[in-house]
Amino acid sequence: MKKILVLLIIGCFAFGTNAFTQTKATVDLKGDDHKISRHIYGHFSEHLGRCIYDGIWVGENSSIPNNQGIRKEVIDALKGIGIPNLRWPGGCFADEYHWKDGIGPKDERPPMINTHWGMVSEDNSFGTHEFLRLCNLLDAEPVIAGNVGSGTVKELSDWVEYVNSDIESDMTRLRKKNGKEDAWYVKYWGVGNESWGCGGNMNPTQYYEKMVRYSTYMRSYPDKPLYKVAVGPSGFNPEWTEEFMKNVAEKGGAHLFSGYSLHYYTVPGNWQDKGSATEFGESEWFTTIRKALRLEDLIEVNARIIDKYLPDADIDLVVDEWGCWHNVETGTRPGFLYQQNTLRDALVAGLSLNIFNNHSDRVKMANIAQTVNVLQAMVLTREEQLIKTPTYHVFDMYQVHHDATYLPLKLISQDYEFKNKEIQAVTASASEDEDGKVHITFTNADPHNTASVECAPDGDRTLEFKRGEVLTHSQMNAHNTFEDPKKVTVREFNNAEVENGRIKVEVPAKSVVMVEFE
Ligand code: AHR
């Protein structure tokens, strides 16, 4: 008995075993040779439900305060989290969007049916000019997903020319006629979206052939090189990546794309019954976190396959759709994907962003789905009101990592056990900003136990704790409502110190924490 107890105690404190009562970490203060791209903190806005129409776009004649049709409060909120880029117009919508229907005088734009999302008619009043003006107001880089499913090569080629070219042509004349004298510069383009499904039901070889044709004619105009993103697999489907990359390796085309897209949604239940966004217990909480943590595997598996076929190519990973997908809120239109957003969603956001940071040598962009009123949104609107979700606050806290130097952090987390299953309780990532401030962000998914994290810095610097922020609540399904918009919000956090050169942080149960050292 005595022997078993001793073994248990050793087991609890040994570095590298599973049953940890304490989380241990090391952070390399010498830094890595790369920065965490701010584009990891990107967003996605589709013509879907109330994301664009009624969310972002209220129209010039609306009584809701707007900037030439764009809801002012949305602009202010997104600027508040330093939104670095915005992906548009879809999603599945992208492959049925014909951009020429969305330019020119609004009363001459033809209406269209959004067949994918609710079979609703839309009047095309939000098109290329409106989107690019929005990005300009936000100081965010536009990311346009091109139509490869139902559009032509020429149509996509024309779109690039229309927005990026200053050389005399029918497209640039058309743009000028529509009131924009100088070209914009849209660097980021998706060559289709989910071409294995709503984007054309292709197999990887069919998509490879399409990608080569469409991408060839998406031209870089003088001083405006394009960054093109090829379509990757549906969730965990390495066969797509295998076959697509094999084609590229054998037939060529690695120069035709810079990024490779991954989509990963955390669905607590299954696709038929995803589970409620707000009514759940610990079982659903645990499953959600367990599924969200698999994002790391997805990144690693796909990076390995790319490197196997194309060891010398420089292909980034772009996770251009991710987030929690729950059942739609009762009483709302099923095709509109409106869902509430709780502390659980905030945990998923925090741990996913930590995973992206820790793979920022490879992941250069990510876009959470979707900015306003759809899926894991930053903000929700109701008539003239707007509320910020818990996920918004995580993006706010993590702004410290934008374009900061990545500091490699190794972590052995204590376990979070539920019904004889265990997952890691804690995730973390670290960076150093231009002023030399070191930031570490943590998530602790364990809803019962504080995580006592002891972190040994590796480097000559002596750090001092400066400030911290925490997002938590006593209820795991706590969320903000139009009646109680500040129920879950960021608070000051002081439970950290540096003792004998070691960083100690008490990360509360079910929380996201940011700590700053100098
Ligand atoms: O974000 C909702 C949908 O999810 C997108 O339109 C599609 O790309 C994905 O399947």
Side-chain angles (χ1 to χ4, degrees):
M1 182 64 195
K2 212 169 153 193
K3 202 171 160 195
I4 292 173
L5 196 67
V6 170
L7 281 175
L8 266 177
I9 292 169
I10 293 172
C12 282
F13 286 94
F15 217 57
T17 62
N18 258 340
F20 273 102
T21 56
Q22 201 186 33
T23 291
K24 302 223 173 210
T26 57
V27 59
D28 183 356
L29 295 180
K30 297 184 294 303
D32 207 329
D33 55 354
H34 75 273
K35 295 195 172 204
I36 296 172
S37 169
R38 70 183 187 285
H39 289 297
I40 282 177
Y41 293 83
H43 297 266
F44 169 39
S45 58
E46 179 167 12
H47 288 233
L48 193 179
R50 295 170 50 243
C51 181
I52 298 291
Y53 294 106
D54 191 37
I56 292 171
W57 179 256
V58 292
E60 291 97 336
N61 301 324
S62 172
S63 58
I64 297 170
N66 67 82
N67 181 323
Q68 291 178 44
I70 299 170
R71 193 190 281 258
K72 268 195 176 142
E73 258 198 292
V74 166
I75 300 171
D76 294 343
L78 296 179
K79 284 179 95 155
I81 50 174
I83 177 174
N85 68 61
L86 189 59
R87 179 173 181 253
W88 173 85
C92 295
F93 181 82
D95 281 291
E96 63 178 6
Y97 182 61
H98 299 283
W99 69 272
K100 284 180 187 158
D101 294 342
I103 55 171
K106 292 214 169 52
D107 56 1
E108 290 173 21
R109 298 185 192 179
M112 70 170 288
I113 306 170
N114 190 333
T115 58
H116 212 88
W117 303 115
M119 282 285 173
V120 287
S121 177
E122 57 181 70
D123 63 5
N124 267 312
S125 52
F126 190 88
T128 303
H129 288 250
E130 290 75 20
F131 171 66
L132 292 174
R133 211 171 61 76
L134 166 66
C135 290
N136 193 265
L137 289 170
L138 295 172
D139 201 15
E141 292 260 7
V143 181
I144 294 185
N147 181 344
V148 166
S150 71
T152 63
V153 173
K154 168 133 176 62
E155 186 182 353
L156 185 47
S157 171
D158 280 354
W159 203 2
V160 179
E161 185 178 323
Y162 184 88
V163 300
N164 277 356
S165 169
D166 275 314
I167 304 163
E168 181 74 1
S169 74
D170 60 341
M171 281 302 112
T172 55
R173 277 189 191 167
L174 184 60
R175 186 193 66 233
K176 288 179 189 179
K177 189 171 146 229
N178 288 332
K180 185 75 171 77
E181 190 60 28
D182 299 327
W184 299 272
Y185 174 27
V186 178
K187 177 177 176 183
Y188 299 100
W189 292 84
V191 191
N193 170 77
E194 296 195 351
S195 305
W196 38 263
C198 62
N201 284 312
M202 298 173 221
N203 66 41
T205 299
Q206 289 165 334
Y207 174 68
Y208 163 77
E209 281 155 10
K210 283 253 189 181
M211 186 282 295
V212 168
R213 283 191 63 220
Y214 280 72
S215 177
T216 297
Y217 298 98
M218 296 166 77
R219 303 293 191 192
S220 290
Y221 290 92
D223 302 323
K224 290 175 181 165
L226 301 188
Y227 182 105
K228 291 178 248 181
V229 181
V231 171
S234 145
F236 280 89
N237 178 8
E239 295 79 25
W240 174 280
T241 306
E242 284 276 349
E243 191 176 322
F244 177 78
M245 292 299 165
K246 191 165 184 280
N247 271 296
V248 178
E250 288 173 359
K251 302 176 198 159
H255 63 292
L256 293 172
F257 62 105
S258 312
Y260 184 63
S261 149
L262 302 178
H263 287 185
Y264 186 66
Y265 286 101
T266 300
V267 179
N270 54 55
W271 284 101
Q272 284 66 48
D273 182 11
K274 303 175 191 76
S276 164
T278 51
E279 303 299 312
F280 58 87
E282 188 169 351
S283 171
E284 291 85 0
W285 168 280
F286 182 88
T287 308
T288 306
I289 302 296
R290 183 176 57 72
K291 288 185 172 180
L293 287 167
R294 294 191 68 203
L295 182 57
E296 183 141 43
D297 281 351
L298 183 78
I299 292 167
E300 288 172 359
V301 165
N302 281 282
R304 267 200 302 275
I305 301 172
I306 298 172
D307 293 344
K308 180 174 85 180
Y309 287 105
L310 300 160
D312 301 324
D314 198 8
I315 298 168
D316 303 332
L317 291 176
V318 172
V319 189
D320 51 11
E321 287 186 29
W322 68 275
C324 287
W325 195 326
H326 308 295
N327 287 342
V328 296
E329 186 157 305
T330 313
T332 64
R333 233 181 146 115
F336 279 19
L337 310 188
Y338 179 86
Q339 65 188 40
Q340 252 293 358
N341 192 302
T342 67
L343 183 63
R344 174 176 63 163
D345 298 86
L347 263 290
V348 171
L351 74 86
S352 303
L353 293 169
N354 280 340
I355 291 173
F356 295 146
N357 287 346
N358 288 327
H359 289 82
S360 53
D361 58 332
R362 200 67 195 245
V363 178
K364 297 296 176 186
M365 183 183 281
N367 309 75
I368 187 169
Q370 304 192 359
T371 326
V372 186
N373 292 332
V374 170
L375 299 180
Q376 193 170 347
M378 298 299 113
V379 297
L380 302 175
T381 68
R382 186 174 73 183
E383 293 161 5
E384 74 292 348
Q385 283 177 282
L386 176 145
I387 55 171
K388 295 172 177 166
T389 64
T391 301
Y392 176 95
H393 294 301
V394 173
F395 272 76
D396 191 10
M397 291 163 75
Y398 277 58
Q399 280 193 71
V400 291
H401 292 307
H402 289 202
D403 286 338
T405 300
Y406 173 63
L407 300 180
L409 184 141
K410 287 199 191 100
L411 177 117
I412 309 282
S413 165
Q414 62 201 62
D415 288 335
Y416 163 28
E417 288 184 21
F418 179 73
K419 295 203 171 151
N420 298 325
K421 289 195 181 131
E422 67 251 356
I423 53 175
Q424 73 183 88
V426 181
T427 71
S429 65
S431 68
E432 181 178 336
D433 72 11
E434 273 180 1
D435 303 327
K437 290 185 189 132
V438 170
H439 296 103
I440 311 181
T441 45
F442 295 98
T443 61
N444 176 13
D446 189 328
H448 309 291
N449 300 303
T450 297
S452 301
V453 185
E454 195 177 303
C455 179
D458 183 3
D460 299 334
R461 276 179 73 181
T462 314
L463 295 178
E464 202 182 309
F465 173 64
K466 285 288 166 191
R467 69 180 185 101
E469 291 174 347
V470 63
L471 189 82
T472 188
H473 198 276
S474 55
Q475 300 158 326
M476 57 174 74
N477 67 344
H479 53 280
N480 296 330
T481 61
F482 293 95
E483 292 69 36
D484 190 0
K486 295 209 168 132
K487 188 165 180 170
V488 187
T489 195
V490 182
R491 310 209 185 273
E492 196 179 311
F493 177 79
N494 287 310
N495 228 339
E497 61 180 346
V498 181
E499 197 186 88
N500 299 327
R502 292 174 100 81
I503 295 169
K504 292 188 171 174
V505 187
E506 296 289 308
V507 185
K510 49 175 159 34
S511 75
V512 181
V513 163
M514 186 285 296
V515 277
E516 180 177 297
F517 301 89
E518 229 175 326

